[in-house]
Each structure stands twice: as structure tokens, then as C-alpha cells.
Amino acid sequence: MKTILFVDDEPFVLNSIKRILRKERHRWESHFAEGGQAALDLLERRSFDLLVTDMKMPAVDGFEVLGTAELLHPNMPRMALSGYSEKETHTKVTNLAQRFLDKPCESEKLIKAIEESLGETDRDLN
Amino acid sequence: MYPNIGNGKDRADRMKNNDRSLYSVMLQNEELRDTLGKMDLVLAQIVESIVWTDSDGKIKWCNGSFDDLCGKLRLFILGNSLSELLPLDCSESCKEIHPCDKLLRDKADLDTVCRFKRGDQAFDLEIQGRAFISREGERSAVFVIRDITRRNLLEAQLRQAQKLESIGSMAAGITHEINTPVHYVGENLRFIEESISDMQKLFLKLLDCSGKPITNDDWPEINSLIESIDLEFVQEEISNAVRESLKGISQVANIVKSVKEFAHPGEPAMELTNLNEAIESTILLSANECKYVADVSSDLCPDLPLVPCIGGKLNQVFLNLIVNAAHAIGDNLRDKKSGNKGQIEVKTHSKGDYVEVEISDTGPGIPDEIHGKLFEPFFTTKEAGRGTGQGLAIAKKIVEQDHHGELSFETQLGKGTRFLIRLPVSQGL
């Protein structure tokens, strides 16, 4: 089973992701970190198959989470999911993450992006 | 008896002297005329109106600019009273005393700005005046009057521009504040939609069995359906999803309401305002600017009297001060590479004839050398693009000129800064 770590400082966002991914529970194991610091603590201990993080968070922000993840687990794909729509942030994120999804984002789009990041659509196509 | 005019030579000398003195008097007269002519010319060309009145306020003399200001010929000005030629623009109930009468009554130097009317037109005048007693012992007064209508208009436009700037700089933050709840509300609704359709499958299965008792043969199918839709999870999470979504929606509604209150569309008019409410909506609006660098707390006096103010303008002052506090703390955290959030505290107090609004931060404080420049327009320590240095200058003008209040600050390097706004509870003049 593929493991995914979701990071957001807003617990309601994590809850909504947990609900929407419940039906995918047989293929994906979701983990949740409330805030950047919690994410760093988890990433120090283990790796995941995919990291999905919010960008704007107090204290430890998404840039720090993505940067640390790159150092600790260079092969783990990284995705940003953020309500911040500034061009500047976009450019900066693309250096650290392979994908950037804007909030609000439909669950179909999120699921498709996760599948692509995990290389699952490629396998389906083959 | 004629004065002794002496002998012939003396007489000739004396006549020469007389001629000379006559000539010098003529010269002096000519010089005087020349000087007077120049003075007249200069006074006529001065843009400010200059008016000289007697102790009753009747005009003894004025310059050309005053003729233009009144829109009347000099003939109809001289001897008339200044307060009738330049009536104040205020309603019947307005008890404001005409500055001219005030000067003649109080005999203290006058320096004021008032709105006057001429026909349908209103205009703002800055008036300075001084009462004095002439050499002949006559009481009179001189006024210098400057038309600042255009300047006021430009300043109003500048204020509007600054307001747009502060809304613009927050637009990204407000978008984020709205996008987050919209995101999870949308996700929750999709979850609820899917859950309902799953539950319907179960209901239909159970309805199939209705009328006849569920047999052992039915259970495996029912159980596998229950398992596949994860009934326990769905049951629990539907109500959570609804509850969290409702909170999200009310958060969005509050933000939208704050934006509306902040923008305060319509004619800017003095009205009795609940400052606590205004402050709460401003705090909500600035939440995204602040929450990543500081905890914002408020301690609002529950018995705060309503204060006459122009709501939209004062919100702009609160917002500027709160956002400045957040920027000060944020820059400080970045410089010190510290992860500890700062504090912003907003307090209101009732102090008899005044209310006070206090906005304090745990930022780096303001260095001594810039204390004097803090309220100067276009003075900023922020990098280009983050502020035009209008915020505090306009805040001071809004508090002190529009509301007859005071805006001051106390600061301690390394400790923080506290801005204090004092507003009179009654605006009567």
C-alpha cells in the first residue's frame, strides 16, 4: 500500500482530505501532520511515497517542509497544495516540488494528481 | 508781523533752502506714492485674501483676491460684515460660531479651517487672524484667508488611493483566508454527496428485504455492502463534515462582511459608531497578515460609548496600525531567524470624555532617529513595493483633523511599540 503524508496547519482541511480519500483506503494509506513542525518530526523518522503540503503555515512553512523533505528523502515526490496564488510563490515552489495545486481544488483533480505523482496512471495506461 | 527774513543774500539762501525742502517733500510724496502703488500691486497679486475689519467685523479694506473669493465688487464689500459675506456652510442646527466673530470676541490669534458656502458651492478655507489696537486706539482685526478646497480634494484622493493600496496589499491574504474554507467545504460536500449515494444503496437493499424478514441468506450481501461503504466511518463523519463546513461558511461570510465594512461605501459621514465592532472586523480582515507572525489578542472595553466618527476612515487607521505591527514583528523574526511568534494586542478603554484605542506589538521598537519622521508623508523604512509611506501620515490626519483626536506612540527598542488613539466622545466644537 502506498503511503501519503498530508501537511496543513488548518485541521479542517486535513479532515476533509481524510474523508474524501476514505474510499481510496484500500490503495493509499494517508497520514496527516497538523503544521510544519509536526511534518518535520514525522519526516525525520520515516519516509512516505508522496508528500502533499500547504505552503503558508506559521513557524515552519511549506518551503521549509519541502526543502527538508528533499534533503532527507530525495526520491520522495513532493506536491504543494496551497490557497496562495501569488506568481512569486508559484515560481519558488516549482523549484522544490514537482506539482502545485491551487486551493480550492476539486477532489477528482487532487486524486488524479496523486495518482500521477505515485506513477499509478502510467501503470494503468500500460 | 512778518518774520525777519534778513538781508538779500540771506533771503536768497533761505529761498534756495525752501525750494530744496519743498522739492524734498515732493520727492518724498512721489516715493510714497510709488511705494503705495507697489504695495497695492503686491497686495492685489497675493493669492491669499487679506481683509481688515473693525471691531464689529465690518470690512475696512481688502485685497483683490478677497473680491474674487466673495465674487463681489469692492464697492459691495467695504463696510459689510465679513461673517455675512462669507457664511459658514452648516445646517440650521449647527451652533458653530463664525471664526471672524470668534476672533473679535476672544481676541486670541485665530488659525482654523472651515467650510463656507457661496451660492450652491461649498469650499474649504483656512483662516488666520489677529486682533489689534491701532495707534489711534481703534480695535480692529486682520484676516488672511486661503482657499484649500483643491488641496483637500487632492488629499481625499490620496487617502482613497492609500485605502485601495491597503486593501490591495491584503487582497492576497484575503484570498487565502477565503480559499482555505472554500476548499474544505467543497471537499466535505463531495464527501457528503458520495456518502448519501452509498447510504441509499444500503437503504434500497434493506427495503428489498422489507415486508419479509431478513433471512440468513441476505446477511452476507448486507454486511459486505456495509463494509464497502464503511458505514461506521460515514455515519460519524457526515455530521462532522456538516459541522466543519458550517463553520467554514460562517468564516467566509465574516470575511466578506469585514471587507464590506472596511470599504464602507457611501458618503463619508460622521455617525455614532461602535468602535469595538469596527476593531473586531479589522482584526479578522488582517488575520492573514498577522497570524503567521503574531498572536492577535483583543481586550475591548464592554461599556465603550458610541463614538462619532467616519467609520470607513477609522477602519483604515486601525488596519494600518495592525498591519504595521505585523510587519514589524515579521521582519524582526526573519532577522533573528526566530520561530517564536510575537504578540499584537488591541485594547479599548473608556476615559470620560475620551475613548482610547491602544495597539501594541512586541516588534523591535522604533529607533530614536526616526521618531520625528514617522508621521511624515512618503517616509517609509519598508522596501519598495511594500508600502508608500502614506499609512501613518494619513492615519494621523484622519485621527487629528477629521476626528479632533490624538494619535501618539511609545516605543522601546527591543521591546515593542504602542500606538494610542484618543477620540473625543462628543464632537461639538
Side-chain angles (χ1 to χ4, degrees):
Chain A
M1 183 134 42
K2 293 281 172 65
T3 54
I4 310 171
L5 174 62
F6 292 93
V7 187
D8 205 302
D9 63 310
E10 172 57 76
F12 286 7
V13 170
L14 294 178
N15 290 349
S16 73
I17 294 175
K18 180 166 75 188
R19 287 177 196 126
I20 212 77
L21 291 187
R22 181 70 180 175
K23 60 180 191 295
E24 316 292 343
R25 65 188 179 281
H26 300 299
R27 56 171 175 161
W28 298 336
E29 186 183 298
S30 302
H31 296 254
F32 301 94
E34 193 179 320
Q37 190 54 54
L40 294 190
D41 292 347
L42 263 175
L43 287 169
E44 260 170 40
R45 274 185 276 133
R46 57 167 293 184
S47 160
F48 297 85
D49 292 307
L50 174 64
L51 168 69
V52 182
T53 180
D54 182 27
M55 293 312 296
K56 195 149 188 189
M57 294 183 287
V60 178
D61 65 9
F63 294 107
E64 204 171 333
V65 172
L66 289 173
T68 310
E70 189 180 22
L71 277 178
L72 293 174
H73 315 290
N75 297 323
M76 175 174 68
R78 300 174 296 272
M79 190 194 303
L81 174 62
S82 179
Y84 240 68
S85 49
E86 283 171 348
K87 282 254 154 37
E88 213 179 308
T89 317
H90 262 268
T91 334
K92 237 172 116 187
V93 171
T94 42
N95 296 329
L96 285 168
Q98 290 84 5
R99 262 167 211 284
F100 192 130
L101 281 187
D102 283 318
K103 270 186 208 162
C105 137
E106 288 167 14
S107 53
E108 291 84 357
K109 208 170 147 194
L110 176 66
I111 290 172
K112 191 162 167 283
I114 293 174
E115 283 171 347
E116 284 169 8
S117 296
L118 291 172
E120 292 185 354
T121 44
D122 289 350
R123 196 178 51 202
D124 289 350
L125 287 174
N126 293 340
Chain B
M1 188 67 188
Y2 290 105
N4 179 10
I5 53 169
N7 60 25
K9 186 176 177 296
D10 281 347
R11 199 162 58 196
D13 282 353
R14 223 167 274 142
M15 276 181 67
K16 219 185 269 174
N17 279 342
N18 276 348
D19 278 356
R20 214 173 280 155
S21 58
L22 192 63
Y23 181 64
S24 80
V25 167
M26 278 168 61
L27 260 184
Q28 276 173 5
N29 272 345
E30 204 162 307
E31 271 172 29
L32 270 175
R33 247 200 313 279
D34 188 43
T35 310
L36 278 176
K38 280 181 190 156
M39 296 269 283
D40 258 354
L41 186 72
V42 169
L43 287 170
Q45 297 311 316
I46 285 180
V47 178
E48 278 84 9
S49 299
I50 302 172
V51 186
W52 178 21
T53 73
D54 64 14
S55 57
D56 295 327
K58 300 268 189 283
I59 295 172
K60 291 157 73 89
W61 179 89
C62 67
N63 70 345
S65 291
F66 187 71
D67 304 347
D68 299 341
L69 187 69
C70 297
K72 285 192 164 66
L73 289 173
R74 187 75 56 94
L75 183 68
F76 301 108
I77 291 175
L78 296 179
N80 287 303
S81 89
L82 178 57
S83 51
E84 275 166 28
L85 282 166
L86 277 185
L88 280 175
D89 180 43
C90 59
S91 56
E92 295 283 311
S93 60
C94 172
K95 296 274 191 305
E96 208 173 328
I97 174 166
H98 196 283
C100 162
D101 300 332
K102 200 174 172 190
L103 174 71
L104 294 166
R105 188 192 65 189
D106 301 346
K107 298 177 186 65
D109 282 0
L110 179 80
D111 187 355
T112 186
V113 172
C114 289
R115 178 157 272 233
F116 295 86
K117 65 179 173 203
R118 178 177 56 208
D120 303 339
Q121 213 185 344
F123 51 106
D124 300 317
L125 298 181
E126 187 178 86
I127 299 190
Q128 282 153 339
R130 173 166 285 178
F132 64 99
I133 300 173
S134 71
R135 235 180 278 171
E136 292 76 28
E138 194 190 355
R139 285 186 181 280
S140 47
V142 167
F143 297 87
V144 176
I145 305 171
R146 187 175 295 124
D147 190 344
I148 55 164
T149 313
R150 198 177 138 70
R151 192 175 82 193
N152 278 0
L153 187 70
L154 288 175
E155 277 173 3
Q157 286 169 349
L158 194 62
R159 268 203 296 274
Q160 187 61 21
Q162 203 278 332
K163 188 161 155 184
L164 289 177
E165 178 194 307
S166 49
I167 291 181
S169 71
M170 282 192 314
I174 294 171
T175 314
H176 185 261
E177 285 295 285
I178 290 180
N179 277 347
T180 302
V182 165
H183 176 77
Y184 67 73
V185 168
E187 297 274 71
N188 284 337
L189 284 177
R190 267 173 220 114
F191 167 74
I192 293 168
E193 185 187 29
E194 283 167 14
S195 301
I196 286 176
S197 108
D198 284 349
M199 302 269 259
Q200 270 171 342
K201 278 183 218 152
L202 183 62
F203 279 136
L204 286 174
K205 181 71 213 154
L206 290 171
L207 280 176
D208 273 357
C209 307
S210 66
K212 57 186 166 95
I214 296 171
T215 64
N216 280 345
D217 297 342
D218 296 323
W219 276 116
E221 207 182 330
I222 293 173
N223 277 337
S224 96
L225 194 56
I226 286 176
E227 199 189 324
S228 88
I229 66 174
D230 203 0
L231 185 63
E232 203 183 335
F233 179 87
V234 165
Q235 261 186 327
E236 197 180 317
E237 288 300 317
I238 279 191
S239 55
N240 288 341
V242 170
R243 200 183 55 240
E244 289 175 12
S245 301
L246 287 175
K247 277 193 190 154
I249 287 294
S250 84
Q251 199 184 337
V252 173
N254 279 339
I255 295 165
V256 172
K257 187 169 143 243
S258 305
V259 173
K260 206 174 119 197
E261 266 171 28
F262 182 83
H264 216 92
E267 192 69 12
M270 278 270 180
E271 46 193 37
L272 287 174
T273 305
N274 181 337
L275 285 186
N276 287 346
E277 277 176 15
I279 287 167
E280 273 167 354
S281 68
T282 308
I283 290 177
L284 185 67
L285 208 57
S286 57
N288 198 270
E289 272 323 304
C290 300
K291 71 178 176 193
Y292 300 99
V293 294
D295 291 317
V296 183
S297 60
S298 57
D299 178 6
L300 306 177
C301 166
D303 315 314
L304 200 71
L306 296 180
V307 177
C309 63
I310 307 169
K313 287 189 175 183
L314 268 191
N315 286 345
Q316 190 177 357
V317 174
F318 300 145
L319 183 75
N320 275 327
L321 294 178
I322 293 174
V323 169
N324 273 351
H327 285 173
I329 292 172
D331 294 350
N332 200 31
L333 292 186
R334 208 175 46 202
D335 294 346
K336 289 203 297 200
K337 302 240 178 275
S338 157
N340 293 333
K341 280 209 258 178
Q343 302 284 333
I344 297 174
E345 195 170 24
V346 186
K347 288 185 190 169
T348 54
H349 315 280
S350 176
K351 291 262 170 90
D353 292 343
Y354 279 90
V355 297
E356 286 182 351
V357 181
E358 213 184 294
I359 296 172
S360 50
D361 66 64
T362 56
I366 302 164
D368 281 348
E369 59 268 26
I370 62 170
H371 283 189
K373 294 188 206 147
L374 210 59
F375 294 111
E376 277 177 18
F378 303 108
F379 175 77
T380 182
T381 56
K382 295 178 184 173
E383 67 268 35
R386 199 154 159 223
T388 54
Q390 290 294 304
L392 282 178
I394 286 174
K396 194 165 180 74
K397 195 160 192 300
I398 290 173
V399 171
E400 302 198 341
Q401 293 196 8
D402 295 338
H403 295 89
H404 309 288
E406 283 167 35
L407 172 61
S408 59
F409 68 96
E410 289 169 5
T411 183
Q412 214 179 339
L413 279 181
K415 289 267 171 69
T417 305
R418 188 175 73 114
F419 279 88
L420 185 68
I421 302 166
R422 293 186 87 200
L423 294 168
V425 173
S426 137
Q427 284 286 354
L429 287 167

